[in-house]
Amino acid sequence: MATTQHWADFQYEIYLNGMTGTVPRLPTDLTRLEELAGHRLGPGPFGYVAGSAGSGSTALANRAALDRWRIVPRMLRDVHERDLSVEVLGRPLPAPLALAPIGVLSIMHPDAECAAARAAAARGVPYILSSASSTPMEQVAEAMGDGERWFQLYWARDRDVTASFLERARNAGFTALIVTLDTPLLAWRPRDLDQAYLPFLHGVGTANYFSDPAFRAGLAKPVHEDPNAAVMHFVGMFADPAKTWPDLTFLREHWDGPIVLKGILHPDDARRAADAGMDGVVVSNHGGRQVAGSVAAADALPRVVEAAGDRLTVLFDSGIRTGDDVFKALALGARAVLLGRPYAYGLGLDGQAGVDHVIRCLLAELDLTLALSGHAGPGSLTSDDLIREPA
C-alpha cells in the first residue's frame, strides 16, 4: 500500500507558520474559493468553470443531497494512528482522492494542466487528464514524473483518433481509462451562452487533438496553416450521440488497463457496465453541467453501489467541496472521490501552490473528520455512520 501520510498535520504547520506572522495565501474553507475566484478571474473563464446546465438546479441539488446526510460520530475508539490509504483499480493510493478531469485549464492559469498534475504528483494523488486539455498528454506526463495518472476520454466519432489517443496515453504512462459518457452533446449552459464563450472555437482545449497524427491526417492543411479548419474538424468529431453499449468492445480492444465509465446515475447502467466487462463507474452528473433537473449524484450513489456489488469499483464526484463531503461519499459506498472545481479555483488563484493547498486542506479535514467521528481510516465507514435528514 501507499506510504502512510499524516494529513492532519497540515493544520499544525499553518498554526506554527502563524508564529512568524504568516497566514495561508488562500482560504482553508474551500467553499470560499468560488467567490474569491469570481472576483479575480475574468467572467468568461470563471463562468466556464463555475457554470452549470440550465438554471443551475442540478449543481444546487448535488450540494443539498450531500448536506442532507449528517455524520454520527462515535466515541472512545482508538484513532491515535490513522491511515487514509486505499487501493483503487489495483493502484495503491495515499488517500481516497483523485483530481477530476477538467479541460481547458489554461483559461485559469498559464501553467494549466502541468501545474495541477505536478501538485497531484507531489502528494501522491492521481491526476486525471482531460481529453480536452490545453496541454498535450505527453507533456503533462513528463511534468508528473512517475506520478499516478489516469486518462479521461471524450469518445470521438473518429475511431482512428480514439485509437490513437489510447495508444498515446498508454505510451505516456496513463494507467486507467476514464470514459465520460454524459457528454454526447454540450448542454444548454447559460453562463457560457451569455458570454458567447466557448474556448474550443479559439483552439483552446484542443492540444491533444491538434498534436495527434490521426487527427492531423484528416486535415487538408497543417493546423498552423488553417487553424479555423482544424477547429471545425475538431468540432465535427468531438462527441458522438450515436454511441451505444456494444461500442464498448472497441475500447476494450484498444486498452488493456482498467476502464471506468463516468456519468453513471442509474443502477441498471451500473449492471450493464459490469456485464460489459468494465472495471468501474463514476457516479457523476458532471457537476451539474449536463442535465438540468438531474438526480443529485449523492442521491444516486447508494443504488449504484448496491447494483455494482463486488463487480465494479465505484467512484464518486459532483458536489465534493469539503472533507466531510468525502467522508459521506465513502460511507455511502464510494471507494474514492474525484475533486473538480475547487482545485480549478486553486489553480486560477495561485497556480500549482493553489492546487497543493486545496489537496492538503481537503485531506487534512477528511483525516480530522474521520478521527473525530471514531474512525482510523476509510475502511471502517458504512452507511450506519450517517443519518439522513428529511428533504
Side-chain angles (χ1 to χ4, degrees), residues 68-336:
R68 277 196 299 274
W69 288 106
R70 310 304 297 175
I71 297 168
V72 184
R74 302 296 302 276
M75 299 297 118
L76 292 176
R77 291 179 168 184
D78 184 357
V79 294
H80 174 66
E81 290 292 335
R82 298 180 303 284
D83 182 0
L84 269 59
S85 65
V86 294
E87 185 174 296
V88 177
L89 301 172
R91 314 295 293 186
L93 306 181
L97 174 71
L99 295 193
I102 299 179
V104 297
L105 283 178
S106 63
I107 67 174
M108 300 300 282
H109 191 277
D111 290 342
E113 291 81 12
C114 287
R118 285 193 298 265
R123 299 294 168 189
V125 171
Y127 179 69
I128 308 176
L129 180 71
S130 172
S131 286
S133 63
S134 314
T135 313
M137 63 182 84
E138 293 83 1
Q139 190 175 329
V140 176
E142 183 178 359
M144 291 192 74
D146 60 359
E148 183 72 25
R149 49 189 175 269
W150 304 344
F151 182 70
Q152 177 267 343
L153 179 70
Y154 279 121
W155 200 349
R157 291 174 190 265
D158 189 314
R159 293 164 69 93
D160 291 338
V161 171
T162 297
S164 181
F165 270 29
L166 299 185
E167 181 181 10
R168 290 171 60 195
R170 183 169 50 250
N171 291 340
F174 292 85
T175 58
L177 180 66
I178 313 298
V179 186
T180 298
L181 299 181
D182 59 17
T183 315
L185 301 165
L186 281 183
W188 187 256
R189 298 176 182 172
R191 291 183 78 160
D192 296 338
L193 290 164
D194 290 351
Q195 298 286 332
Y197 185 81
L198 188 62
F200 305 110
L201 297 185
H202 302 280
V204 179
T206 57
N208 285 317
Y209 299 85
F210 288 5
S211 62
D212 191 80
F215 178 90
R216 294 199 303 254
L219 299 175
K221 296 180 180 179
V223 174
H224 69 275
E225 290 186 13
D226 194 347
N228 288 336
V231 166
M232 295 316 296
H233 187 50
F234 161 80
V235 170
M237 75 162 58
F238 175 69
D240 184 2
K243 290 281 195 303
T244 59
W245 290 95
D247 291 309
L248 291 171
T249 303
F250 178 84
L251 298 182
R252 181 51 79 193
E253 289 171 350
H254 289 82
W255 185 266
D256 54 10
I259 301 178
V260 178
L261 303 184
K262 183 173 183 285
I264 300 301
L265 295 166
H266 195 290
D268 286 349
D269 285 346
R271 296 184 188 98
R272 295 199 70 165
D275 292 343
M278 301 294 100
D279 300 279
V281 295
V282 183
V283 176
S284 168
N285 56 32
H286 216 105
R289 291 170 62 77
Q290 280 301 101
V291 178
S294 167
V295 60
D299 285 340
L301 178 57
R303 291 205 307 156
V304 172
V305 167
E306 182 181 10
D310 59 2
R311 296 202 294 164
L312 296 167
T313 295
V314 178
L315 308 177
F316 176 84
D317 81 11
S318 299
I320 296 290
R321 297 292 181 271
T322 64
D324 59 284
D325 291 338
V326 180
F327 180 111
K328 294 170 185 179
L330 300 176
L332 292 172
R335 186 67 176 161

Side-chain angles (χ1 to χ4, degrees), residues 359-379:
I359 293 170
R360 297 187 74 189
C361 286
L362 187 82
L363 292 180
E365 188 177 18
L366 171 62
D367 191 357
L368 291 165
T369 302
L370 283 165
L372 294 168
S373 301
H375 299 274

Side-chain angles (χ1 to χ4, degrees), residues 56-72:
S57 63
T58 302
L60 293 172
N62 285 336
R63 289 299 315 146
L66 283 164
D67 286 341
R68 277 196 299 274
W69 288 106
R70 310 304 297 175
I71 297 168
V72 184

